[in-house]
Amino acid sequence: MSGVARNAPLHDVDPADVVAARNAPEAYPASAPTRGDTSASVRVPTTPSDASEYQQGAVGLSFESTDLADQRLGSDSDDLVSIFRALNGPTLRFGGNSTDRRMFFTSDDEPAPTDWKVTEGERITRVTPSDLQRVAGFADATGASVIVSVDLAHDDPDRAADFAEHAHEAFGDQLIGVMVGNEPNGFHNEDAPGLSVKGPGWNTLQYTRQLTAYSTAIHERVPGLRIVAPGAYSADWWDAAAASRTANPLALAVHQYPLSECGTDNVQQRPTVANAVGSVTRERVDSFVQRAAVDATSHDAPLWITETSASACAGSNAITETLASAVYQAEYSVRALSRGAERIAVHSSLAPCHGGAPMSPLCANGTIDHPGERFALRANGLALALVASIPSGRVHPATTGTSDLTGYAVEHDDGSTTLVLSDFRDPGTAGTRTTTVTMPDGVARVTEAQLSAAEWTSEYPVDTVLDHAGQSTGATASPASTSHGADYPADPAIGLSVEEAVRPVASGSVAVDGYGLPIAPAASRPAVAGVDAGERTFSLALPAGTTSVLTITPSDRSTGPSGTGVPSEPTGTPSGTMHPSGSRTSTRNGGQ
C-alpha cells in the first residue's frame, strides 16, 4: 500500500486498501459446484411484513464493570480501537458479576470499602468519573453505544444515581441505558455461597422494590434515561423488573449461556463440540429468545441480550477458542436478532490470552499479573466481525432442506440481500456440498466471505498475531512492499497492524477468506462463480463447518450507487463473570 507504514494500526487505513494488498481473486476459490458433491437447497422467501429489524452494530461485547478502570481501555489503544471499528459501531456493555461484588463508584475520591465480602484473591476496584471520561473517548473513537451497570446489591440508590449522572455527562447520547444490578436471580445462591450478596429472604418482590427506588433516584438526576433490567434468564425476574413503576423506559435485559452445565448429568447442555453445533442447542436458543421477545413486547420494551456466550463454565473446555464456537457464535447472533432481540453483547475480557477468560472473543498479550497492551481476536471474535460486516436491514429465516444447514436473509434498503449460511457438518470428515439458492427475484451477482477451518477444534492463531509485534526494528517499508519476512516492524503497542493484516493465516486455522482482520467490505469480496444473471436460482459449493456471508445483487439493480455491481457500503463508523477462578452458577442452566 503506497505510503502506508507497515506497522500502522488497522484503524488508520481503509479496509478496502488492505484487501487489495491481499490480491484477492475475482472469483471466490472453489465456489463452483463439483460433480458428485452431495446437495442441499435454500429458499429465500419474500421478506415478510413482520420481519425483525437488523441494525448494524447491534452485536457487540460485554465486559466486567471493573474493566471501566482499566487504563488500556481508551482512544489511544490502537488494537482495541481497530477491533471495535471492525464491529461497526457495536454495543459496549459493562456489567457482569463484578458489578455487585467488586466495583465501587465514587465521585468524591472515597477509599474502597473494607467490609465487603470478596472471594480470596480478588479485590474491590474503584471506578471514578475520570475513568468514565477515558472510556467515553474510546466510545467516541469507535462509535460504540454504551450500557453501564450500577451496584444493586449494596442498596445505595444515591450512589447509583451519581454514577448514572456522571456516565451521562461523559458518554452523552452514546449512553443508551443504565443496567441496575447484574443477575439479581443469583444474589442468593446456596450452590455457590461465595457469589451470594443477599440473604435467603431475597426474592422478586424485594428486587422490584429496590429497582423502583434506584430508578426513581436515577431519573431525578437524568430524566428519561433508559433502565436496563434484570439481566436474568428466568421469566419471573423479567416480570419483576417490568413491575417496577419507575423503571420506564425499560429495556428487558436477558442472559443466555446455552452450554453452561459444567460436569453435571445434563448431557445436552455440556460445552462439547457436538452440542455447540447440534440442532438441539439451536432449538433451545429459539425457545428462550422467542419467549423473551414475547415478554418484552408485552411490556412495550426492546429485548437486549446483554450477556451471552456459548458457555460460561470455568476454565477451558472442548469448544474454547475453536471453529465450533465461532460458527456457533456467528449463527447465534443472526438467529437471535431474527427472533426479536434488538441488541446482543457477548461477554468478554481484557485479560491475557493465557490465564484469562477462555471464551472471551478477544484477549491480550502478557500475563495475568502483567497484562500487555496488544490485543487480538479469537475465533469467536472473528465470527462477530464477520456478522458485523452486514449492513442494516430486515432479517428473516430462509428455508433449508436439512437441519445441519441454516440460513438467514437480510434485505437492505438498496434492494440487495445478505444471505448468511451456516453449515454444521463436520469439516474434518465431510466434503463440500452443492447448495442451490432460490431467491424471490432474479440475481445479477453474488459475492462471498467465509469463516472456515480444517477441523471443529481448529483455532485462530492469536499467539502468532501477538508475537509478531515487536520482533524486530524498522518503522516503515518501501511504498509497494508487503514483505512478511524478518523485518517485521517493531511496535510494542500494536498487534493488529497493516503488516499483520496482509499476512495469510496459517493453513487450516480459523480464518475469514484465509485472513484475520479486517473483514473484506462487500464491494471488495470475490464473486461466486457461475451465477447466471437474471436467474432466480444459483448454486455454489459450501464446505462443511463454515459460515458464509453472501451479498446478492438483484438483476433489476445491477449496480449500486458506486457502480460496482454490489451494494453500497454501510454507513456509520469506519470500517455473570467469565473468570478463570469462578463458575457462572447463576446462569448454569444456560438461559433455560
Side-chain angles (χ1 to χ4, degrees), residues 177-205:
V178 169
M179 197 162 183
V180 179
N182 176 80
E183 297 182 3
N185 54 303
F187 278 8
H188 178 72
N189 196 316
E190 294 179 355
D191 295 330
L195 290 176
S196 291
V197 288
K198 293 288 187 181
W202 176 252
N203 56 33
T204 55
L205 180 59

Side-chain angles (χ1 to χ4, degrees), residues 105 107 128-137 148 161-175 178 221-222 225:
F105 176 80
S107 60
T128 67
S130 62
D131 291 320
L132 299 180
Q133 292 290 343
R134 171 177 39 75
V135 178
V148 297
D162 190 39
F163 188 174
E165 184 175 27
H166 281 89
H168 184 258
E169 290 174 355
F171 294 104
D173 290 342
Q174 288 178 275
L175 181 68
V178 169
R221 300 280 196 100
V222 190
L225 182 60

